[in-house]
């Protein structure tokens, strides 16, 4: 059974600081997704990582995938308050585009 | 505008009652999914469907049922057998079984037990 672990589960950071969220998974996969969820809202797709070494960047967020280490990272650069949300990684386990989600990282950026 | 709609936004269930959550998409996607989200947790897959008239159980299908009679619609019924139905339910869709498409999510339905 695929396990997806995110850490930290809660992150409080100051505006302007950098930090990284980690997503480890327990079985082979080369497809990983990052989503954002605002409180009480649905999920918004951030990044799709489809191969070893894939790196995607959008604004202050950068995601990478190391399939050999079974690890993805979401790096936040110079955080701003608007980035406060819950961030989920999800791993595709194969047929049917089935996703297994991590528990999510709650990010709070303080002014 | 293309997208996924879910209704109702809030739903209240009495003991022993079956309730149905609606999910409609106009994205022309083949695949549709139902997830359950409990407070402070990630999403868990209930059912998914890759094509009309076909669907498969996810990780937590007990107490739920679905149908897929039309491409654009994938309703979820929460039966009386689901003893702990209070949760946020999210419907998603993707293009089809290529193994790499993004899943797009609807706004969700919050189910509460009276």
């Amino acid at each position: 059974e695929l396990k997806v672990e995110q850490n930290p589960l809660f992150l409080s950071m100051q505006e302007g600081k950098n930090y990284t969220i980690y997503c480890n998974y327990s079985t082979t996969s080369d497809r990983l997704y990052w989503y954002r969820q605002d409180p009480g809202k649905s999920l918004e797709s951030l990044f799709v990582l489809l191969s070893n070494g894939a790196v995607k960047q959008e604004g202050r967020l950068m995601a990478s995938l190391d399939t050999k280490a079974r690890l993805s990272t979401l790096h936040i650069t110079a955080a701003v308050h608007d980035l406060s949300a819950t961030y989920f990684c999800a791993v595709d386990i194969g047929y049917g585009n089935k996703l297994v989600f991590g528990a999510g990282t709650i990010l709070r950026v303080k002014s | 505008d293309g997208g996924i709609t879910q209704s109702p936004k809030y739903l209240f269930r009495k003991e022993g009652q079956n309730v149905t959550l609606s999910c409609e998409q106009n994205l022309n996607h083949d695949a549709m999914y139902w997830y359950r989200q409990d407070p402070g947790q990630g999403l868990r897959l209930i059912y998914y469907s890759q094509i009309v008239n076909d669907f498969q159980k996810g990780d937590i299908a007990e107490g739920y049922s679905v149908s897929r009679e039309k491409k654009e619609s994938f309703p979820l019924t929460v039966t009386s057998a689901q003893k702990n139905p209070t949760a946020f339910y999210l419907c998603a869709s993707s293009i089809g079984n290529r193994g790499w498409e993004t899943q797009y999510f609807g706004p969700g339905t919050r189910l509460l037990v009276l």
Side-chain angles (χ1 to χ4, degrees):
Chain A
E1 181 187 343
L2 173 63
K3 302 282 187 190
V4 180
E5 294 184 348
Q6 286 182 238
N7 70 84
L9 297 181
F10 181 77
L11 176 57
S12 179
M13 55 191 299
Q14 293 289 130
E15 277 194 329
K17 297 293 187 183
N18 304 333
Y19 208 83
T20 300
I21 299 170
Y22 297 89
C23 175
N24 291 89
Y25 54 99
S26 61
T27 195
T28 302
S29 175
D30 57 2
R31 295 184 290 273
L32 190 139
Y33 306 79
W34 283 95
Y35 287 89
R36 169 184 171 142
Q37 185 179 38
D38 291 300
K41 304 293 186 181
S42 188
L43 273 70
E44 172 191 354
S45 176
L46 292 175
F47 300 108
V48 180
L49 303 169
L50 298 177
S51 61
N52 186 42
V55 177
K56 296 279 184 73
Q57 183 162 6
E58 180 75 33
R60 301 175 187 273
L61 300 178
M62 183 174 70
S64 65
L65 178 61
D66 181 341
T67 58
K68 294 180 181 177
R70 299 176 185 172
L71 171 68
S72 179
T73 61
L74 181 66
H75 187 72
I76 303 151
T77 302
V80 294
H81 181 72
D82 285 351
L83 289 179
S84 296
T86 300
Y87 293 86
F88 292 96
C89 63
V91 178
D92 190 331
I93 62 173
Y95 176 77
N97 197 22
K98 289 179 63 176
L99 298 184
V100 177
F101 282 79
T105 296
I106 300 172
L107 173 64
R108 293 290 175 261
V109 181
K110 298 183 290 187
S111 305
Chain B
D1 281 340
I4 303 173
T5 58
Q6 291 186 241
S7 63
K9 186 174 181 179
Y10 296 95
L11 184 58
F12 298 92
R13 193 191 91 164
K14 296 179 182 178
E15 290 286 339
Q17 186 181 36
N18 293 352
V19 292
T20 297
L21 285 61
S22 169
C23 177
E24 304 275 332
Q25 53 98 1
N26 61 2
L27 300 167
N28 200 31
H29 285 172
D30 285 318
M32 297 186 75
Y33 311 81
W34 274 106
Y35 292 92
R36 169 180 171 141
Q37 185 179 29
D38 293 284
Q41 297 188 32
L43 280 66
R44 292 183 290 167
L45 183 64
I46 304 172
Y47 269 98
Y48 64 105
S49 168
Q50 294 296 310
I51 196 168
V52 175
N53 292 322
D54 187 48
F55 49 83
Q56 285 78 40
K57 293 181 179 180
D59 299 320
I60 56 165
E62 186 174 350
Y64 301 96
S65 66
V66 294
S67 63
R68 186 87 187 275
E69 297 176 1
K70 298 186 295 182
K71 184 176 184 177
E72 58 270 21
S73 178
F74 191 39
L76 173 74
T77 296
V78 184
T79 74
S80 57
Q82 173 49 245
K83 298 306 179 187
N84 185 22
T86 297
F88 189 40
Y89 290 86
L90 289 159
C91 177
S93 71
S94 65
I95 292 173
N97 185 26
R98 297 178 202 169
W100 51 266
E101 309 98 355
T102 298
Q103 292 185 17
Y104 296 92
F105 285 81
T109 292
R110 199 165 297 275
L111 177 60
L112 300 165
V113 177
L114 294 177

